[in-house]
Amino acid sequence: MRIALLEDDRDQIALLRGWVEGVGHSLHAYERGRDFLREVARESFDVFLLDWMVPDKSGTEVLAWIRANLKERVPVLFVTTRDSEEDIVTVLQSGADDYLVKPLRKLEFLARIEVVVRRTRPSGDRDDAAELGEFHIDAARRSITRSGEAIDLTQKDFDLAVFLFRNQGRLLSRNHLFEAVWGKSTEINSRTIDTHVSRLRTRLGLAPENGWRLASVYQHGYRLERLS
Amino acid sequence: MSEQPPILIRIDPDLKAIVPKYLANRARDCAALREQAATGAFGDAKRLGHNMKGTGGGYGFEEVSRLGDLIELASVAGDAPRIVSLSDELADYLSRVAVIYE
């Protein structure tokens, strides 16, 4: 899971980074609201974590911008020391999906993230096996078939295909794809991803005449769509 | 202060890499709070208290959160002697805390 955090306290960032990376997620932390908004406008994330009080913008301002400007309904979890009933109600009514009061408890925090993401994308996209039209994907066995016919893919192509199918309909940034398939620490040429995507289009027949589109979105990334 | 018994705190070993820095930062906060109380920089003191309140318990130091809450309240009230007293209490706690990672 790729997480964007708005938080100006570096000790809090270090704590949350350890928690989420410990369970295999990636955390991108921003200490200023404007930096956070710039990144979420051009990158894709699975969930946003917002502190209320940061130096340049309030978490509520950031939440309002997200709900007004982002086409995708990314879940928002407020993480703040403000604990009045009025504050909690205001934030939830403004479009946040959940609200956690600091200090945080590790397991509850991680569970709340899982829940808001599952609630937003309830399609069972983390199941090992899935039927998607003519495709059958078995992530555990690392097999993919189209109309019953097995398709040979390289390891990275397979991982990329699974990630795209699991996130069908979402616009995914190149960096998001890099992290999900190659790992956060890996540095690869941006053209590498284009090569893999192009090969997937061909090998899987992801074309409009087959009811699929794997669209390239200029300066952003890719979106896999089912047309029929 | 050093004659007081240690305060044993059991903490998740996963936090071992970041806890020493966290405690060192709080020790620095003690000095900053005294200066802020002396100069009337209550907004800065409020922010430090607020951040302590938000982080202490997450790291396993509930006392830091408790004191942070009180520091924030004292800062809002502009109560400099109270801020100094609470920063002394925090310094005492930090001098006695002994972390066990398990």
Side-chain angles (χ1 to χ4, degrees), chain A residues 180-195:
Chain A
V181 177
W182 282 267
K184 192 179 178 185
S185 59
T186 308
E187 286 188 21
I188 61 172
N189 189 306
S190 67
R191 290 200 175 188
T192 302
I193 197 92
D194 301 330
T195 304

Side-chain angles (χ1 to χ4, degrees), chain A residues 31-47:
Chain A
E31 296 178 27
R32 298 287 182 273
R34 63 176 174 274
D35 295 335
F36 180 92
L37 291 179
R38 186 189 64 241
E39 286 304 305
V40 303
R42 66 187 184 191
E43 285 289 333
S44 56
F45 294 95
D46 297 305
V47 61

Side-chain angles (χ1 to χ4, degrees), chain A residues 26 31 33 41 49 64 73 77 85 100 118 129 131-132 135 137 162 192 198 210 212 215-216:
Chain A
S26 68
E31 296 178 27
L49 309 179
R73 182 68 164 74
L77 178 56
E85 184 178 17
L100 271 175
R118 193 166 63 227
E131 297 282 349
L132 295 151
F135 292 101
I137 298 172
V162 168
T192 302
S198 174
N210 296 324
W212 292 91
S216 170

Side-chain angles (χ1 to χ4, degrees), chain A residues 19 30 42 47 71 109 118 122 137 146 154 156 176 180 196 215 217 227:
Chain A
W19 286 354
Y30 306 94
R42 66 187 184 191
V47 61
K71 289 177 185 168
F109 170 71
R118 193 166 63 227
I137 298 172
R146 183 177 173 210
T154 66
K156 290 302 179 198
H176 197 160
H196 284 269
V217 178
L227 302 178

Side-chain angles (χ1 to χ4, degrees), chain A residues 62-99:
Chain A
V62 170
L63 173 61
W65 188 95
I66 287 169
R67 291 297 177 239
N69 293 282
L70 292 189
K71 289 177 185 168
E72 185 186 9
R73 182 68 164 74
V74 179
V76 173
L77 178 56
F78 247 72
V79 182
T80 174
T81 55
R82 293 175 66 151
D83 59 359
S84 77
E85 184 178 17
E86 186 182 352
D87 285 340
I88 295 170
V89 169
T90 297
V91 165
L92 292 175
Q93 288 183 338
S94 300
D97 296 274
D98 203 353
Y99 192 107

